[in-house]
Amino acid sequence: MYPEDDYIQLSSLQHYMFCPRQCGLIHVAGLWEENRFTARGRVLHERVDSGEEEMRGEAHVVRSLNIYSRIYGISGRADVVEFRDQHGVIVPYPVEYKSGKPKPDARDLVQLCAQALCLEEMLNIKVTEAALFYGKTRHRVKADITEELRETTIQAISAVHEMVRTRTVPDGRYMKKCESCSLYDACMPKLGERKMNQYIRGLFDFHEAAP
Ligand code: SF4
């Protein structure tokens, strides 16, 4: 069990799966920059974060639900949770909204699975299915919460906890996806490793010296 002060944000898992260095820059060094991708996501979430509840067919739909797991030390908000009646048992079905399109990696799935882990612990019920809604393609992709996905998610959770505990910002190197990273300017991925580490040390010195 993790104390509440040590909880990491659900969003940190998506950052970690995109790039461990990006995760470290945001969740250890405290940097954040908006670009056109993050702005699009923020606008979509502002629409989803209305906090409204409604009945949609047989499902009770709750938006912007605060969720957490003491076992894994994670917390955040689920965009939408549909509570569905399955043969007399009410089962939560998380739906995460993403502004873009389906990704070639598991970053969205891991964040979704972490939501499932939270809901399982909070409600003491197994979550086997969930979905991602993509704003660009405007369609839902169903996701099975498989054992393999759970393992990947739990490994990512452990890695982010370790990064935050040790205040480590991993090294980075230039990749094609750096071009879509909101922290490109702060990260400077084309610089040599030594210069990057000097830069990060300078950031910590600045934060510690600030009143
Ligand atoms: S610019 Fe590239 S290496 Fe740097 S944080 Fe972003 S994705 Fe990672």
Side-chain angles (χ1 to χ4, degrees), residues 55-69:
M55 288 302 293
R56 194 184 295 155
E58 294 294 302
H60 178 198
V61 179
V62 180
R63 297 178 204 284
S64 198
L65 184 66
N66 289 319
I67 55 175
Y68 63 88
S69 162

Side-chain angles (χ1 to χ4, degrees), residues 77-171:
R77 269 188 196 177
D79 286 336
V80 169
V81 181
E82 297 176 359
F83 290 89
R84 299 175 167 190
D85 187 338
Q86 288 184 359
H87 313 295
V89 179
I90 303 298
V91 179
Y93 185 96
V95 183
E96 174 69 10
Y97 280 62
K98 296 293 176 195
S99 59
K101 54 187 180 182
K103 318 289 190 309
D105 54 46
R107 78 188 97 141
D108 294 343
L109 286 170
V110 161
Q111 190 180 2
L112 189 63
C113 180
Q115 292 181 9
L117 294 175
C118 290
L119 289 164
E120 285 183 342
E121 184 179 320
M122 291 168 69
L123 304 172
N124 194 26
I125 191 164
K126 186 110 173 158
V127 177
T128 57
E129 292 180 343
L132 293 156
F133 176 85
Y134 288 98
K136 193 160 186 181
T137 52
R138 302 209 60 76
H139 79 296
R140 250 187 204 209
V141 179
K142 182 175 158 292
D144 292 325
I145 308 299
T146 63
E147 286 309 313
E148 191 185 354
L149 178 57
R150 286 169 190 269
E151 269 176 39
T152 304
T153 304
I154 292 166
Q155 279 171 12
I157 293 170
S158 299
V160 176
H161 270 297
E162 185 63 8
M163 190 186 291
V164 171
R165 188 184 68 77
T166 58
R167 298 186 74 199
T168 304
V169 177
D171 295 334

Side-chain angles (χ1 to χ4, degrees), residues 39-68:
R40 211 188 287 146
R42 181 173 49 72
V43 169
L44 181 73
H45 279 94
E46 279 169 4
R47 282 192 210 126
V48 175
D49 287 353
S50 62
E52 288 169 13
E53 297 185 25
E54 61 171 315
M55 288 302 293
R56 194 184 295 155
E58 294 294 302
H60 178 198
V61 179
V62 180
R63 297 178 204 284
S64 198
L65 184 66
N66 289 319
I67 55 175
Y68 63 88

